[in-house]
Amino acid sequence: MGQSIFFRITLFFVVVMLGAGIGFYALDVQLRKEHESRLHTEAHVMLGILRQSIVYPRAQRIAFLHEKGYRVLVPEDVLIQSLEPAFAGIPDDYPVEIKDSMREGIIRVLKDSDHLYIHLLRASPPMVVAKPGAAHRSSWPDVVFATVLGALLVLYFAIVRTLFPLTRLIRSIRNYGLNGQYQSIASKSRDEIGLISTALDTAMRKNRSLIEARQLFLRNIMHELKTPITVGKLALPFLKKGEEKSILERAFVRMEQLIQEVVRVEQITSGELRPDLRSCDPSQISEQACALLFLREEQRVETCFDGTLITADCDAFVSVFKNLIDNGLKYSPDHAMRIEQEGDVLIFSNVGDVWESNRTLASLSEPFFHSRSHSESFGLGLYIVKSILDAHGFEMNHRYRDGRHRFEVHCHHPQTSG
């Protein structure tokens, strides 16, 4: 989850919104302090003017206050209850007599959302003096914060909506990789994700066409190979018993086995067929592989197995053994190779010279790799071996030790590997 691009984008916007919230909160605190300071100053001025108006009779006093821009109101209970203290505490810069009157409750400084009020309880009669607009506090910070927050949310959902086709793209690719089921992922969108989806959809269609063409080609090859074999097997009963008939019978049987092997190996290496994992005896697999190779008299295969069973597709592993044995015999000057077993590690070794500097196991495992001394080879042996081992999740390493090339196949058990 931590690697998801949606998680990272969400985390980014959460951090940005938290930062914006903290920034606006700090701004709001500062503006509140400035507003309270302005109320202190305005109330101080009002109290000073009220002290000047004390010398006038009531009617002249009200007229004087009107000239100064104030309104004189009757302190009705409904009005007083709707107001709140203008600020907490008593400012230190107020005159002593005013501070004493405020402590005794004779003078109260009140406010509502717009006006500032001075409530004189000891006046005769009591009065409330209001300064219109003195307590007004601008709402622009709240508007700006709401606008920024809304813009961030709109931008976040717009980006997530734009990236949402990625989940469909990933799901389609995963399904195609796991079970080969193709689902069109072409997009009409002209943004980068839409272009990637369309390009990938085109590539998947081409890949699907290549797979179908390869399957058709393989079926045709199998059909063309099986036809003469079938004709030959039908003609065998008409031949007289003898060594030639026996040789032909064995040849036809082995050719059918080779065809079945080619089909199964192709299905496993292409991912169309999962390996049929069973407990396999390497010694039996070795015997089956040697039987398919038509070994000449001068070719020798030495074996030393410790009896450990391996978990693999036994039929597919016959191809692994056959190709590694054939590879060892083909490049060994003494026409001999050795198979050893150390637990779940199978070692195929043969005598040979050190490889050239540009030759590695990876390069040898490429399809259609040809050696100068064996240019007639198709160059598919180690490629087939690597493909089958990859399908099993096994590994193959190469070492050169004591004048011998060692191909080590690590057959880790599925439950304990990785």
Side-chain angles (χ1 to χ4, degrees):
M1 180 63 181
Q3 300 299 322
S4 170
I5 188 172
F6 293 97
F7 174 79
R8 294 179 181 180
I9 292 175
T10 301
L11 181 62
F12 171 77
F13 274 94
V14 168
V15 171
V16 170
M17 286 188 281
L18 284 177
I22 293 173
F24 276 99
Y25 175 76
L27 176 64
D28 183 69
V29 170
Q30 181 62 31
L31 291 176
R32 285 180 183 276
K33 289 181 180 179
E34 293 177 0
H35 180 66
E36 187 172 345
S37 177
R38 184 161 58 84
L39 292 178
H40 288 171
T41 303
E42 192 66 40
H44 194 182
V45 173
M46 290 179 66
L47 290 169
I49 293 177
L50 286 172
R51 291 181 65 186
Q52 295 176 16
S53 67
I54 293 177
V55 298
Y56 298 110
R58 179 176 176 78
Q60 292 181 349
R61 187 180 188 185
I62 292 175
F64 174 77
L65 293 174
H66 283 169
E67 290 177 0
K68 296 296 182 179
Y70 300 128
R71 293 168 54 193
V72 179
L73 307 173
V74 177
E76 298 178 353
D77 291 341
V78 176
L79 173 64
I80 299 302
Q81 291 175 3
S82 66
L83 304 178
E84 60 179 348
F87 36 78
I90 300 174
D92 295 333
D93 57 345
Y94 280 16
V96 176
E97 58 273 18
I98 291 180
K99 291 195 289 185
D100 291 341
S101 298
M102 293 179 67
R103 290 192 188 95
E104 295 173 3
I106 298 174
I107 298 176
R108 297 177 64 193
V109 182
L110 306 172
K111 68 171 183 174
D112 58 17
S113 59
D114 289 314
H115 309 320
L116 184 65
Y117 302 86
I118 303 291
H119 185 192
L120 303 175
L121 281 79
R122 292 289 181 87
S124 182
M127 68 171 64
V128 174
V129 179
K131 174 67 173 178
H136 177 73
R137 182 170 179 266
S138 177
S139 61
W140 70 263
D142 299 331
V143 175
V144 172
F145 175 70
T147 303
V148 170
L149 184 61
L152 287 174
L153 289 174
V154 170
L155 182 61
Y156 168 73
F157 286 111
I159 293 176
V160 170
R161 186 168 177 239
T162 302
L163 294 177
F164 191 75
L166 279 176
T167 57
R168 177 170 166 264
L169 183 63
I170 293 171
R171 192 183 310 114
S172 298
I173 295 174
R174 183 180 292 115
N175 290 337
Y176 185 75
L178 290 176
N179 48 41
Q181 293 182 355
Y182 172 72
Q183 180 181 3
S184 178
I185 54 176
S187 175
K188 296 181 180 179
S189 175
R190 305 310 300 169
D191 58 13
E192 287 79 0
I193 296 177
L195 294 176
I196 291 174
S197 299
T198 302
L200 190 57
D201 181 75
T202 302
M204 290 174 68
R205 287 180 182 273
K206 290 183 178 179
N207 185 59
R208 191 69 181 175
S209 299
L210 289 174
I211 292 175
E212 293 174 354
R214 183 182 64 185
Q215 292 173 344
L216 180 61
F217 174 76
L218 185 61
R219 291 192 187 102
N220 290 335
I221 291 294
M222 295 301 105
H223 174 73
E224 295 300 328
L225 289 175
K226 284 184 177 181
T227 299
I229 294 175
T230 303
V231 172
K233 291 178 68 175
L234 290 174
L236 280 176
F238 298 98
L239 297 178
K240 295 180 180 181
K241 292 185 179 180
E243 184 178 356
E244 293 82 1
K245 182 177 181 179
S246 177
I247 293 174
L248 285 175
E249 287 178 343
R250 292 198 302 270
F252 286 141
V253 170
R254 290 183 180 180
M255 288 178 69
E256 285 186 327
Q257 292 175 345
L258 286 173
I259 292 174
Q260 293 174 359
E261 175 197 2
V262 169
V263 173
R264 183 167 182 81
V265 169
E266 192 279 335
Q267 290 175 333
I268 291 177
T269 55
S270 64
E272 294 183 9
L273 184 66
R274 293 181 179 274
D276 181 15
L277 300 180
R278 292 173 292 165
S279 294
C280 307
D281 186 351
S283 62
Q284 294 181 3
I285 295 177
S286 176
E287 292 176 2
Q288 295 176 34
C290 291
L292 293 173
L293 283 172
F294 300 97
L295 299 179
R296 299 190 300 272
E297 293 183 1
E298 71 273 12
Q299 293 178 320
R300 292 177 293 106
V301 178
E302 302 174 4
T303 59
C304 181
F305 299 105
D306 60 11
T308 303
L309 300 180
I310 60 173
T311 302
D313 188 312
C314 303
D315 296 333
F317 245 66
V318 172
S319 295
V320 173
F321 273 68
K322 181 173 71 69
N323 283 286
L324 287 175
I325 292 172
D326 181 59
N327 183 77
L329 294 174
K330 187 183 299 179
Y331 294 98
S332 177
D334 60 358
H335 305 290
M337 62 91 56
R338 183 188 306 159
I339 306 175
E340 303 171 83
Q341 183 179 16
E342 297 177 1
D344 59 359
V345 179
L346 297 169
I347 304 170
F348 299 78
S349 64
N350 63 276
V351 176
D353 297 329
V354 180
W355 285 347
E356 298 174 1
S357 59
N358 62 344
R359 183 176 298 184
T360 62
L361 180 59
S363 64
L364 291 174
S365 300
E366 292 293 328
F368 306 110
F369 176 86
H370 294 279
S371 172
R372 294 176 184 175
S373 58
H374 293 82
S375 58
E376 74 280 0
S377 170
F378 286 108
L380 291 172
L382 289 181
Y383 170 73
I384 293 174
V385 170
K386 182 179 183 302
S387 299
I388 295 175
L389 294 180
D390 288 345
H392 283 75
F394 295 165
E395 296 179 356
M396 181 173 66
N397 301 323
H398 171 266
R399 296 183 186 181
Y400 186 77
R401 181 186 299 172
D402 301 329
R404 300 183 68 88
H405 292 282
R406 293 163 53 93
F407 293 87
E408 302 176 356
V409 178
H410 297 260
C411 306
H412 300 295
H413 195 276
Q415 278 75 23
T416 61
S417 62

